[in-house]
Amino acid sequence: MQLNNFIGGSWQDSGGANYTAVTNPANGEELAQVRLSTSEDVDLAVKAAKEAQKKWALVPAPKRADYLYAIGNLMKERKEHLAQVLTREMGKVIEEGRGEVQEGIDMAFYMAGEGRRLFGETVPSELQDKFAMSVRAPIGVVGLITPWNFPVAIATWKSFPAIVAGNTFVWKPATETPMMAYEMAKIFEEVGLPTGVANIVFGSGSEVGTAMIEHPDVRVISFTGSTETGRHVAETGGRHLKKVSLEMGGKNAVIVMDDADIDLAVEGILWSAFGTAGQRCTACSRVIVHKDVKEELETKLLASMKHLTIGDGLDESVKIGPVINGKALEKIQSYVEIGKEEGAKLLAGGNVLTDGDFAKGHYFEPTLFTDVKWDSRLAQEEIFGPVVSLIEVSSLEEAIEVNNSVVYGLSSSIFSKDVNKVFRAQRDLDTGIVYVNAGTTGAEIHLPFGGTKGTGNGHRDSGVAALDVFTEWKSIYVDFSGKLQRAQIDTE
């Protein structure tokens, strides 16, 4: 199977000479070949998007929303097929694949509802016979750069608000997971989304991503990926005066206080830390635990980890699938060695799995360290794999300080039955998302998603806040007095 670009409503071969294989990380099976596109392909896509946007912006927003309803319904019909494709190319277990597709369905229906809102404001003027209001206006062509770990959910967070707001887009999916973009393009085509509204260009970040960021007709860049790459996107986009929305890394923590329900905390940690094999920006990689319950938590965590089955995500009994590729395995293994060198105690895991069927894929054992120093590399740097560090504290204040000590600020969690502790934590944890008596993952699409510090640059995906990325505010004044009235001057 060869994947071609989707540009201007048609499937087009790239001018690039090189291909890359798309492989199943569970077993090494080749799923497709995708051409690595060039800057010329990006230019073609941007031209198609720019031409289409002129007409698309004039379509009434409720009519634009009708396409999202149709997209959501088609995704709903194909939910199982999409989940199977997702699991094969990315590796997450099928239950999570279904959940991710459902997130895209939810986003379609939610943003379709915004087609009858897109609220602005009407405000009283300080002058007689004058009307004042603000409206949301589309920006134009937007560039979407999405990661491999949530190849459909994050794409819908970005593309659906862009569509309903009256923009057109060029989307560069991750090279590891282009098949979900291909499936979405087929859906766009089938529902009759007007030519050029949605364009997909496959290829590398260095070639396709850079061309999008530097293209003068792409006015918005919405990027999800590593903090290092995000800084480059921000720097390059800033030089071109583009609006840049960044959602980047995380070093998320679950705080377990001495009055917590330990069994519930264990469930939350397991799901947060080892779901998607730890390859989530919201994954729990630190557990900040009160000294009075540390031993109990360790014991129960270790006992529960023994029941985590590892294997091909298409097997309904499997709880943890593979990591994305061999490079990811090497990075995870390197952090295990760093943890040992720093004096942390390895309680479980820490190994690449290579025996039997594991040899065909990319599998890493769920890993638990204890006695981790809060300022160690293991506790400060993003690993993006199934590795968790236990850090002991003696108070809520210390727990909050440790949580806030990292350069990231995406998600945090506290397990406690004390309402006073909970409200102090909600106030003082410096992350964009705070969970109470739940893990650090599982954002719902009608709330803003994003973080502070090294996680983002102030914008948000999802929720109504996503519309701020893809619209400009336009203030409109209508003076029907029949004379010149000067604000702040002719007010007496």
Side-chain angles (χ1 to χ4, degrees):
M1 180 182 182
Q2 180 177 314
L3 305 183
N4 292 326
N5 294 330
F6 186 71
I7 297 175
S10 65
W11 299 95
Q12 300 184 18
D13 199 0
S14 166
N18 297 320
Y19 288 87
T20 187
V22 183
T23 59
N24 185 335
N27 55 28
E29 173 194 5
E30 183 174 305
L31 304 173
Q33 286 278 330
V34 62
R35 182 97 74 166
L36 296 178
S37 302
T38 67
S39 59
E40 286 77 16
D41 297 307
V42 172
D43 193 53
L44 288 173
V46 173
K47 286 180 180 178
K50 185 177 181 181
E51 182 62 29
Q53 200 272 330
K54 299 173 185 177
K55 295 180 180 178
W56 184 241
L58 297 178
V59 175
K63 298 299 182 184
R64 297 195 295 258
D66 285 344
Y67 289 98
L68 290 183
Y69 283 122
I71 290 167
N73 281 321
L74 204 49
M75 291 180 70
K76 192 172 182 179
E77 290 177 15
R78 298 180 183 174
K79 179 177 177 178
E80 185 61 26
H81 169 71
L82 294 172
Q84 296 271 337
V85 172
L86 194 160
T87 291
R88 284 198 298 273
E89 75 166 346
M90 185 270 153
K92 65 177 59 177
V93 299
I94 188 64
E95 181 182 38
E96 292 184 53
R98 294 180 186 123
E100 181 176 344
V101 175
Q102 185 61 50
E103 191 166 353
I105 295 166
D106 294 343
M107 197 67 186
F109 293 144
Y110 179 79
M111 276 299 158
E114 288 304 309
R116 291 192 177 272
R117 290 184 288 267
L118 287 177
F119 293 141
E121 291 183 312
T122 57
V123 297
S125 172
E126 64 187 35
L127 297 167
Q128 289 186 344
D129 298 328
K130 185 177 180 182
F131 182 84
M133 65 178 177
S134 63
V135 297
R136 289 185 183 271
I139 299 177
V141 179
V142 303
L144 313 178
I145 302 174
T146 59
W148 50 261
N149 61 331
F150 284 86
V152 67
I154 291 175
T156 64
W157 291 358
K158 301 176 186 297
S159 61
F160 292 172
I163 286 172
V164 81
N167 304 284
T168 58
F169 66 86
V170 178
W171 170 19
K172 190 206 88 64
T175 53
E176 295 88 350
T177 54
M179 293 180 68
M180 288 309 298
Y182 169 75
E183 294 290 337
M184 290 305 298
K186 290 196 296 184
I187 290 174
F188 296 152
E189 187 178 35
E190 190 166 333
V191 303
L193 193 66
T195 297
V197 172
N199 304 274
I200 299 172
V201 181
F202 298 111
S204 68
S206 59
E207 180 78 15
V208 173
T210 298
M212 287 170 58
I213 298 164
E214 294 181 345
H215 201 292
D217 290 329
V218 177
R219 299 311 311 149
V220 179
I221 294 290
S222 182
F223 167 86
T224 298
S226 72
T227 298
E228 180 182 4
T229 303
R231 287 196 182 99
H232 171 71
V233 172
E235 291 167 1
T236 306
R239 288 197 299 271
H240 294 273
L241 298 180
K242 298 181 189 294
K243 181 185 283 190
V244 176
S245 172
L246 304 175
E247 200 285 297
M248 302 178 290
K251 190 67 178 176
N252 314 290
V254 169
I255 295 172
V256 182
M257 295 308 301
D258 52 341
D259 63 338
D261 180 333
I262 301 300
D263 292 330
L264 180 61
V266 167
E267 287 186 53
I269 293 164
L270 290 177
W271 170 242
S272 298
F274 303 127
T276 322
Q279 299 170 117
R280 298 171 175 147
C281 53
T282 56
C284 164
S285 59
R286 297 181 296 158
V287 174
I288 303 169
V289 57
H290 194 282
K291 60 183 179 63
D292 291 348
V293 293
K294 177 175 178 282
E295 184 176 347
E296 180 185 1
L297 182 71
E298 279 184 7
T299 300
K300 290 186 173 182
L301 262 179
L302 284 169
S304 295
M305 287 173 64
K306 293 177 181 178
H307 299 290
L308 294 175
T309 50
I310 306 168
D312 190 328
L314 291 176
D315 183 339
E316 298 277 1
S317 67
V318 165
K319 297 300 182 184
I320 301 178
V323 299
I324 190 65
N325 53 34
K327 185 178 179 180
L329 281 180
E330 292 173 6
K331 179 182 178 183
I332 298 165
Q333 185 67 69
S334 73
Y335 272 99
V336 170
E337 298 309 314
I338 287 169
K340 293 176 181 177
E341 292 168 4
E342 291 178 329
K345 181 180 178 181
L346 181 63
L347 292 180
N351 299 302
V352 177
L353 297 174
T354 58
D355 292 338
D357 290 339
F358 291 135
K360 300 177 183 179
H362 309 294
Y363 296 94
F364 202 91
E365 289 181 310
T367 300
L368 181 65
F369 278 96
T370 192
D371 299 334
V372 178
K373 297 177 181 178
W374 69 268
D375 58 349
S376 65
R377 289 185 64 190
L378 193 64
Q380 292 286 314
E381 299 177 10
E382 186 176 39
I383 300 171
F384 225 62
V387 179
V388 182
S389 300
L390 295 185
I391 304 169
E392 181 181 310
V393 295
S394 57
S395 67
L396 174 65
E397 291 74 21
E398 185 183 0
I400 292 171
E401 184 178 358
V402 169
N403 179 91
N404 296 351
S405 68
V406 296
V407 299
Y408 304 102
L410 181 51
S411 184
S412 56
S413 161
I414 181 170
F415 283 84
S416 173
K417 298 175 184 176
D418 186 329
V419 67
N420 294 328
K421 291 177 182 176
V422 164
F423 271 84
R424 289 192 184 99
Q426 289 175 204
R427 181 193 64 192
D428 296 339
L429 293 169
D430 65 354
T431 54
I433 304 168
V434 176
Y435 289 90
V436 176
N437 293 325
T440 55
T441 66
E444 299 184 33
I445 56 91
H446 45 290
L447 285 174
F449 181 92
T452 63
K453 302 188 294 187
T455 292
N457 64 340
H459 293 291
R460 293 292 185 268
D461 286 327
S462 202
V464 176
L467 293 169
D468 292 334
V469 176
F470 301 109
T471 56
E472 296 281 15
W473 284 108
K474 181 182 291 186
S475 296
I476 300 170
Y477 302 94
V478 180
D479 193 320
F480 52 96
S481 68
K483 60 183 179 180
L484 175 65
Q485 298 191 94
R486 298 170 297 174
Q488 292 90 43
I489 296 175
D490 299 323
T491 56
E492 297 299 329

